[in-house]
Amino acid sequence: MAIPLKKVAKEDGYIRLKDDAGSYPAGTVFFKDRTIYGYPHIKRIFALEEGIKRNIDGDEFYAEEKIDGYNVRAAFLDGRVVAFTRAGKIEPFSSEKLSSLKGFFEENPEIVLCGEMLGNTPFTPPTDQFDFRFYVFDFMKGREILPSDEKQKLIKKYRLLSVPFLGKFRKSKEPWKKLREIALFLNKGKKEGMIMKSGSGRSAVKYVTPNSDIEDIRQNARFVFDMPTGFFNQRVFRSALFLEEFGMDAGEYEKKLGEAFYSSLLEGIKQFKKEGAVKEEFRIFVNSEETWNAVYSMLRRSRGIEVADVYKWRHGDRLGVRFSKIYRETTRKLRRFLSGHAIED
């Protein structure tokens, strides 16, 4: 199949797909001797029972907790572990961290590990509780996702950290009450939500909680002009559907939502007045200066941000790096608005 050039990006030593092209998902990467397929899109449902009935193939399915990090695929190429972002770009931080899984890949060189990375990374908020964690949620062989039973065997055999397993269900057994209890439990614990997958691994849906939606708004409203179109209204809408479906107290969440929006926006305005920019701080620990240089190069190519305030120190035998991402569009607009420029509505 001929792939339109506008969907292809040339990288150093390989090419990747920026958009879906026929049977190839966005994020697919093509090397000389190997193709690593992009991770399939997962549909979002807004009504728990009806969404599962309509979108999950077959009778049997299982549920896993949805972890709030960033999506990484790791593969074994030329004797080393290489990690890719969802978009198919080589991600040097995760490549270094996941090199500890070389033993797994030497025994399973054809498998691609799919997981969620979080902790002290270039893309998630820093924490003092742990350095980083990589939660496995799938294994891919070619374009196929391995069935649940095979996945669990590999996780146990290699003692891999995996996303929490929430249970196996059958539509014919009317599991909706139990699933509703799980959804409420996750919301109370301020977890992101859950993923439901068919036993074959061929179909999946995601369902998120209102507390997660509100936390997303809290974290990102101060970067309001840098966020994608629809980021906020989609989260408000889907959280409202959750509240209605579960008969929850709207007043409680009205207060949470308003506080999240305003506290974050005001934080961004105050930060701009104090520091001249709206920015976010990150912290990572890497084994070498080479890894940091690769991370820095990757971040500098990111659209819409500027890397600033870089500070490095030795942390035992590792290199600690603290840096900020300046959000250009929000910073630019606040500079104009607060200096008296007007706009036409």
Side-chain angles (χ1 to χ4, degrees), residues 124-141:
T124 53
T127 177
D128 293 325
Q129 297 179 14
F130 54 89
D131 183 13
F132 79 96
R133 288 176 183 166
F134 180 69
Y135 289 91
V136 176
F137 55 70
D138 272 320
F139 299 89
M140 293 181 70
K141 186 179 289 188

Side-chain angles (χ1 to χ4, degrees), residues 102-144:
K102 186 177 180 180
F104 168 86
F105 284 109
E106 286 176 335
E107 295 183 17
N108 304 276
E110 76 286 4
I111 287 181
V112 175
L113 260 178
C114 307
E116 206 77 8
M117 181 75 78
L118 71 160
N120 296 310
T121 81
F123 304 104
T124 53
T127 177
D128 293 325
Q129 297 179 14
F130 54 89
D131 183 13
F132 79 96
R133 288 176 183 166
F134 180 69
Y135 289 91
V136 176
F137 55 70
D138 272 320
F139 299 89
M140 293 181 70
K141 186 179 289 188
R143 67 173 71 243
E144 297 296 322

Side-chain angles (χ1 to χ4, degrees), residues 69 79 105 116 128 135 159 202 214 230 234 249 288 320 333 343:
F105 284 109
E116 206 77 8
D128 293 325
Y135 289 91
R159 298 182 180 180
R202 294 192 181 96
I214 291 171
Q234 185 182 124
D249 180 7
S288 67
K333 288 195 172 183
I343 63 171

Side-chain angles (χ1 to χ4, degrees), residues 60 62 146-155 168 199:
E60 184 178 274
Y62 62 98
L146 296 188
S148 174
D149 291 344
E150 289 185 49
K151 176 171 76 171
Q152 295 303 324
K153 288 178 183 177
L154 286 170
I155 286 170
K168 186 176 288 188

